[in-house]
Amino acid sequence: MNENKKCRSAKKLLLSVLAIVLVIAVSVGITLAVLSKLSGGVNNQFSPATVDIETEEDFHIGSTVKSNVYIDNKSTTGVYIRAAIAVTWQNKDGDTYRQSPVPGKDYTLTQTDDGWTLADDGYYYWDSPVAAGSKTGMLIDKCEVIAEAPADGYTLHVEIVAQAIQATPADAVSGSWGVTVDSNDKISK
């Protein structure tokens, strides 16, 4: 009979432990439900950055001078910027003359801002990130025609082809453009 008493005591102890575990589980569940209800849900919204640039310049129809050319960052984030300068003779239909204009002979192009660096790939690189709503220094201070066009109906055209890539992470610009970004966020080719 002693065995029966031990068995009953063990069953009572087991039932007591199970009852306590059940009470704790229900209490925790109710507490979490109340806290969840009182605190409300958290709604995190993430918006991707937009990258948008615009070339700004002073040029008047009929003029032979283009000046104050810079790139304006219209993005929602900081960006690195590079630009190529294409100088051609074109007619009113946009046809390009076979002979390219020669710097110093057909036109002059003045650049004084040392933030731009011409790389071997033909692009000028602005050496640091441009904050959203800011602009680069002058890419071209002044470009002026100094010779007659090689054929009737042609005029000098100076086109700026600019590109931007978000500044962070820095390896985005390194991987895309093959440049190096140093610890001061300066870009080098």
Side-chain angles (χ1 to χ4, degrees):
M1 187 108 144
N2 221 356
E3 285 281 326
N4 274 343
K5 276 187 173 181
K6 284 184 182 179
C7 192
R8 280 188 220 157
S9 291
K11 284 182 184 179
K12 283 183 183 181
L13 180 61
L14 180 61
L15 287 175
S16 296
V17 169
L18 286 176
I20 291 171
V21 169
L22 183 61
V23 168
I24 291 172
V26 169
S27 296
V28 168
I30 291 171
T31 302
L32 290 175
V34 168
L35 288 175
S36 176
K37 183 73 173 171
L38 292 177
S39 66
V42 176
N43 187 9
N44 290 328
Q45 293 183 351
F46 297 94
S47 299
T50 59
V51 175
D52 185 24
I53 57 173
E54 186 175 293
T55 302
E56 301 287 336
E57 62 186 41
D58 291 336
F59 182 76
H60 303 287
I61 303 296
S63 174
T64 60
V65 177
K66 180 182 280 207
S67 60
N68 301 323
V69 179
Y70 61 89
I71 312 299
D72 192 8
N73 182 7
K74 304 281 188 183
S75 308
T76 59
T77 188
V79 297
Y80 285 103
I81 295 176
R82 70 180 182 176
I85 302 171
V87 183
T88 58
W89 296 111
Q90 290 184 15
N91 66 16
K92 64 179 169 66
D93 297 325
D95 298 326
T96 301
Y97 194 72
R98 68 183 176 274
Q99 176 185 339
S100 295
V102 178
K105 178 182 173 219
D106 296 320
Y107 68 95
T108 60
L109 192 138
T110 308
Q111 297 172 292
T112 57
D113 198 320
D114 60 0
W116 289 100
T117 302
L118 178 60
D120 293 339
D121 60 5
Y123 283 97
Y124 289 88
Y125 289 81
W126 184 248
D127 68 359
S128 56
V130 179
S134 297
K135 61 185 176 184
T136 64
M138 292 293 163
L139 174 61
I140 298 173
D141 290 325
K142 182 176 168 183
C143 183
E144 184 172 15
V145 178
I146 57 174
E148 293 294 319
D152 287 339
Y154 284 84
T155 57
L156 190 75
H157 282 258
V158 180
E159 297 179 58
I160 310 301
V161 179
Q163 297 176 335
I165 192 165
Q166 69 185 37
T168 53
D171 60 349
V173 71
S174 298
S176 296
W177 291 350
V179 297
T180 302
V181 178
D182 69 17
S183 61
N184 296 319
D185 295 329
K186 294 286 187 181
I187 196 170
S188 63
K189 183 70 177 147

